Amino acid sequence: METIKSNIKVVDAPPGIEGPGFFATSMEKVVGMARKNSIWPLPFATSCCGIEFMATMGAHYDLARFGSERLSFSPRQADLLMVMGTIAKKMGPILRQVYEQMAEPRWVIAVGACACSGGIFDTYSVLQGIDRIVPVDVYVPGCPPRPEQILDGIMKIQELIQKESLRRRESPEYKALLATYGIE
């Protein structure tokens, strides 16, 4: 009988105190690890970047292996806003409303050149980057970005989530950042 070699890498436990039959760590590290592996994305896709996102959700790339299998189309049930594609200025207030309806903690990824900077559409009707109306945590460049780039953006968000302290959202710096966007 053949032995099957596996390339499965077992993730190390968060730093803590270990011994036979017990493991101790800080609550902050456990919550960070749980949040990192249970992201509920809300896709806000308007054009070709949305098609690349669909490919990312398919079997070949499989976003589900990163803990993001359940897409949410309700802002009240999502914690990651993924803005993909061209955002017209008339859509800005809607995008902002969706962001404000999300519960804390919430994160934002700008996917593609149009969401990051307006892309090739340097016109009066296109928003020149969504960071003018909502704070962005990770930018994924490309026109449109490949599914591998979108997965890289998800992994960057996961790193940020895992390392974020539980009290960051209550800090004066975070409140000042939201105040610059007019968000309370």
Side-chain angles (χ1 to χ4, degrees):
M1 183 171 213
E2 283 183 43
T3 57
I4 299 173
K5 291 186 178 182
S6 177
N7 292 335
I8 297 173
K9 181 183 175 196
V10 177
V11 178
D12 296 331
I17 302 168
E18 301 178 51
F22 76 92
F23 178 81
T25 189
S26 69
M27 179 69 147
E28 196 166 282
K29 290 185 176 139
V30 171
V31 170
M33 188 169 62
R35 282 181 179 168
K36 167 191 168 188
N37 294 306
S38 62
I39 300 171
W40 286 14
L42 186 152
F44 194 96
T46 61
S47 49
C48 44
C49 291
I51 302 300
E52 291 298 320
F53 177 69
M54 290 177 208
T56 308
M57 290 301 296
H60 185 74
Y61 295 101
D62 193 19
L63 189 62
R65 63 193 161 127
F66 294 95
S68 299
E69 183 167 18
R70 184 201 176 277
L71 292 180
S72 178
F73 294 98
S74 167
R76 291 173 184 87
Q77 298 173 355
D79 55 10
L80 174 65
L81 178 60
M82 298 181 73
V83 182
M84 298 165 269
T86 311
I87 305 298
K89 287 184 180 174
K90 284 188 174 186
M91 295 167 66
I94 304 303
L95 178 61
R96 175 146 172 167
Q97 182 179 14
V98 167
Y99 176 80
E100 289 176 346
Q101 288 177 350
M102 294 170 63
E104 287 281 359
R106 58 188 170 210
W107 299 275
V108 178
I109 294 181
V111 178
C114 292
C116 293
S117 66
I120 61 170
F121 305 106
D122 189 11
T123 65
Y124 70 94
S125 61
V126 174
L127 190 64
Q128 300 300 302
I130 63 164
D131 55 0
R132 295 178 182 227
I133 55 171
V134 294
V136 176
D137 297 297
V138 172
Y139 295 90
V140 178
C143 186
R146 298 266 314 133
E148 296 90 353
Q149 291 172 277
I150 296 173
L151 291 177
D152 185 56
I154 292 289
M155 289 189 291
K156 296 281 188 235
I157 279 285
Q158 284 182 319
E159 283 177 34
L160 186 138
I161 291 170
Q162 186 170 12
K163 293 176 182 173
E164 183 177 83
S165 73
L166 295 177
R167 303 277 183 236
R168 175 182 173 255
R169 303 289 167 155
E170 299 166 13
S171 71
E173 295 85 11
Y174 184 72
K175 290 181 180 184
L177 171 70
L178 290 182
T180 61
Y181 288 96
I183 301 171
E184 293 180 10

